Amino acid sequence: MKKSTVTEIRERFDNEVERFSNLETGQVATMDAKIALELITCTARAIKPEAKTILDLGCGAGNYTLKMLSKVPDLECTLIDLSQNMLDKAFERVSEATTAKVETIQDDIRNVELPDNKYDIILAGAVLHHLRDDSDWELVFQKLYDSLTPGGCFFISDLVTQDHQAVNQLTWKMYGDYLKQHGGSEYQQKVFDYIEKEDTPRSMTYQLDLMKKVGFSSTEILHKNACFGAFGGIK
């Protein structure tokens, strides 16, 4: 199947702002969204308790930054998203939660020039699965590594594949059962259809190996449930 273009992905997210604005539940289509959000932000605080800057990649309506600000107050925030509607909502919410500067960038991360050694914390919630080939993944991981301060951390919560075919089939069946339980067969099919069209996730192993390749000194796995994981690296 021909995958969605960046424009098509942006247009879909332009119309889904409210679905991405609930801090209490997170995204219902994501298994353990609330658990992953808490784990990632707690861990980032543990690694960088004196953090001053955060980059939220694919920020959506701002949930990850808001949760981070509840743990490390008054961070200077940089929010990146394809959707201007998402950025507008995130800017409004985040600006109320910090006294520091909030910057928004409406673009594809592959095109964004990031300053070196700038961010203490980088968070990427349900966004990297939109990357396509190996060169995309390496470009973005290298760019994010370079933009971290020494000792800074990069944490991901995302849809992931499995390296073994039988395990991959099992985890997607588990996810299908989860979706059916939450919204019935029609909802399950709708989610699977847009994953097939939009997403090209990679395994957690692939991403952790890539982190080591681009320079991260250590990596951590925080959570894994079926085809969703929370993990990251420290510079």
Side-chain angles (χ1 to χ4, degrees):
M1 172 185 280
K2 188 169 184 286
K3 292 288 184 180
S4 302
T5 64
V6 170
T7 301
E8 288 169 337
I9 293 170
R10 185 188 70 235
E11 287 170 350
R12 185 171 81 81
F13 283 103
D14 276 344
N15 296 315
E16 302 221 354
V17 173
E18 291 311 312
R19 187 165 74 86
F20 288 84
S21 299
N22 193 327
L23 263 176
E24 296 309 310
T25 63
Q27 299 172 42
V28 177
T30 301
M31 296 173 74
D32 293 349
K34 195 175 176 183
I35 294 169
L37 183 60
E38 181 66 24
L39 276 170
I40 280 174
T41 49
C42 276
T43 306
R45 178 183 59 189
I47 293 165
K48 272 283 190 177
E50 303 303 318
K52 298 287 185 275
T53 51
I54 180 173
L55 169 66
D56 189 342
L57 176 60
C59 66
N63 282 357
Y64 277 78
T65 295
L66 288 169
K67 184 64 82 170
M68 198 69 244
L69 286 167
S70 74
K71 296 175 170 59
V72 182
D74 294 327
L75 292 164
E76 183 180 311
C77 305
T78 301
L79 311 173
I80 299 178
D81 205 276
L82 282 176
S83 167
Q84 189 60 51
N85 291 359
M86 288 286 192
L87 283 171
D88 291 345
K89 183 71 169 183
F91 181 81
E92 174 192 323
R93 298 169 83 207
V94 170
S95 295
E96 291 175 356
T98 182
T99 60
K101 178 184 174 187
V102 180
E103 176 187 12
T104 62
I105 301 170
Q106 193 259 315
D107 206 345
D108 183 326
I109 183 56
R110 291 170 292 190
N111 304 327
V112 178
E113 293 284 335
L114 294 176
D116 287 347
N117 303 306
K118 164 78 173 175
Y119 305 107
D120 295 318
I121 297 167
I122 298 177
L123 303 180
V127 60
L128 295 175
H129 60 254
H130 290 130
L131 296 173
R132 298 300 184 219
D133 56 28
D134 288 340
S135 60
D136 278 352
W137 285 88
E138 188 159 348
L139 169 77
V140 170
F141 274 50
Q142 188 68 64
K143 184 182 291 195
L144 296 175
Y145 173 81
D146 291 343
S147 70
L148 278 171
T149 56
C153 58
F154 166 37
F155 280 103
I156 296 164
S157 171
D158 213 345
L159 180 70
V160 293
T161 55
Q162 324 306 312
D163 293 316
H164 189 282
Q165 185 179 357
V167 180
N168 201 46
Q169 288 172 344
L170 172 66
T171 58
W172 283 90
K173 181 186 182 302
M174 291 166 69
Y175 184 37
D177 292 344
Y178 166 86
L179 291 171
K180 192 178 287 187
Q181 181 184 340
H182 276 75
S185 298
E186 192 175 323
Y187 176 63
Q188 177 201 55
Q189 193 57 51
K190 178 185 174 186
V191 173
F192 278 168
D193 284 347
Y194 78 66
I195 288 173
E196 175 68 23
K197 182 160 175 55
E198 277 191 10
D199 303 344
T200 39
R202 297 296 179 100
S203 72
M204 191 185 292
T205 307
Y206 173 89
Q207 294 176 68
L208 293 169
D209 287 347
L210 185 53
M211 285 183 183
K212 288 293 183 68
K213 181 181 178 182
V214 302
F216 284 90
S217 63
S218 62
T219 56
E220 295 292 345
I221 296 169
L222 306 180
H223 184 67
K224 173 87 166 55
N225 185 5
C227 48
F228 287 89
F231 55 99
I234 298 99
K235 186 170 181 174

